[in-house]
């Protein structure tokens, strides 16, 4: 009976050792996974920060381009007005020249 108890104790000790080893392996695996999670979380944070900075840069570029476009539109409108004035002036000069030519004949 004592031998049976001794064998049971030995068997339970072996099982305990196996469970302890498995527990240590799982703790190590968990530690590695936690470190990977921490690394990926930092990587995600860095990526989000870069994306936010890029988005802000893009907003500034768009704003500058819109301002430049507005300036160019104003310049275009001024040039169109100047062209129209020059065409009117040309028409007036042609009329005056025609009159002068008619008087000269």
């Amino acid at each position: 009976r004592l031998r049976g108890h001794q064998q049971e104790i030995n068997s339970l000790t072996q099982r305990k050792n196996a469970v302890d080893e498995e527990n240590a392996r799982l703790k190590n695996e968990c530690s590695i996974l936690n470190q990977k999670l921490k690394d990926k979380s930092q990587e995600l944070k860095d990526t989000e920060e870069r994306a936010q900075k890029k988005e802000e840069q893009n907003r500034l570029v768009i704003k500058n381009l819109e301002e430049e476009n507005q300036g160019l539109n104003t310049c275009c409108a001024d040039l169109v007005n100047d062209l129209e004035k020059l065409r009117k002036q040309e028409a007036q000069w042609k009329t005056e020249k025609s009159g002068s030519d008619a008087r000269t004949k």
Side-chain angles (χ1 to χ4, degrees):
R1 197 170 153 188
L2 182 62
R3 211 175 314 172
H5 286 306
Q6 188 62 40
Q7 285 177 344
E8 191 178 337
I9 288 172
N10 289 341
S11 174
L12 290 172
T13 301
Q14 287 177 350
R15 279 182 53 203
K16 181 193 176 292
N17 289 340
V19 168
D20 286 347
E21 287 176 15
E22 179 68 9
N23 193 27
R25 186 187 68 76
L26 289 173
K27 281 183 181 179
N28 186 44
E29 188 177 328
C30 186
S31 175
I32 290 169
L33 290 173
N34 278 332
Q35 185 60 45
K36 284 182 181 180
L37 176 62
K38 184 178 175 183
D39 293 345
K40 291 295 181 184
S41 294
Q42 185 61 44
E43 186 179 330
L44 176 62
K45 181 180 175 186
D46 294 344
T47 301
E48 287 173 343
E49 286 175 2
R50 280 194 307 274
Q52 189 175 6
K53 286 178 184 177
K54 189 68 175 171
E55 193 174 313
E56 183 60 31
Q57 286 175 344
N58 288 343
R59 272 195 290 270
L60 288 173
V61 166
I62 288 169
K63 180 182 175 191
N64 290 337
L65 288 173
E66 285 173 346
E67 288 173 0
E68 185 178 346
N69 188 41
Q70 186 177 5
L72 290 172
N73 285 339
T74 301
C75 184
C76 251
D78 291 345
L79 288 172
V80 166
N81 287 335
D82 290 347
L83 180 62
E84 191 59 36
K85 286 177 187 176
L86 288 172
R87 284 184 177 157
K88 286 178 183 178
Q89 190 176 17
E90 178 188 21
Q92 183 182 353
W93 287 345
K94 283 183 180 179
T95 303
E96 288 175 8
K97 185 177 183 295
S98 258
S100 290
D101 287 348
R103 274 184 258 133
T104 303
K105 287 183 181 181

